[in-house]
Amino acid sequence: MTTDIPVGSRVVLRYALPPGRSHPMTDVVGILEGVAPFVTVRAADGTVVEVEPDRVIALKAVPARPVRTSEIRALELASADGWPGVEHAWIDGWLARYGHGFTGRANSAAPLGDPGTVGDLADSSPGSTLDRLRDWYAERERPLRLLLPDRLGAVPPGWNLSDEVVVMGADIANLTLPRGPRTTTITDRPDSDWLALYRYRGSALPDFAVDVLDAVRGGTLGFGRIGAADSTLLAVARGSVTSAPDGRLWVGLTAVEVAQAHRRRGIGSLICGEMIAWGREQGATHACLQVAAENEGAQAMYRGLGFVAHHRYRYATEPVGGGH
């Protein structure tokens, strides 16, 4: 059977039942896991339905429910707790984070306060929100950089946007997770081998990066690894379990890295799935991650696990000479 619907999509499958049943056909709604040799759909309760292609009457993608603005804010707050940097402060409804310059998220300010509390950055007068944010970062010898999730904050006039990021999420009950004994070893801190394998944007980590990797606010961290028989690391990943204001408990995946020689063998999907399973053991009900908008390969891998796009964010920087 051929279909344009990608594996990992939420679908409704209508298929014919064998003769003698009380009705000739039935439906199942769930995540499409495959189309050959059987059309396979996993329902929300974990039940897997496999149907021969000649019994399929219709297979349609189910449009995702629109994500509410409050859900974007809640997920961003849970993610911020999982990647808080080494310092943070609330400034007029903006969450400012600092992490020695390591990663954009740990060194930017995001408008995550309750509606009505977030200061308007159009005003740059002394004592304004923008002025206070500039000063906070200047004290740490960093330029002000804004992280602007969809619908949560406007771009200040004249500022430059860059580095679009897709935030993907899922109800863990809808994800395809590995079965059987766990291959991933999970510890509460990264050791030198873990740190040596993880490359941030292709480069080795600076010494101070471990302070950012080790930080969590009100949650639990796990550092996963998959090793070969000779103890060579094949893959690493970081998981954080934190709570959102709406009561959901999220396991956030970050720092996923597969050794160059072992890519495209399913190891990335394996370690991500096992880190999510670890998060579920810590009480998480949902999973999330961030991936660069242009990284189609990584997005396809995560869709294969069952993730869907939740929202996006972009970074905004002030033009040269725009500050005080």
Side-chain angles (χ1 to χ4, degrees), residues 91 126-142 144 324:
I91 300 174
S128 65
T129 300
L130 180 57
D131 189 58
R132 296 177 64 206
L133 285 169
R134 282 192 191 124
D135 284 346
W136 194 85
Y137 281 98
E139 290 170 2
R140 290 153 183 82
E141 301 182 341
R142 297 294 305 172
L144 172 58
H324 57 226

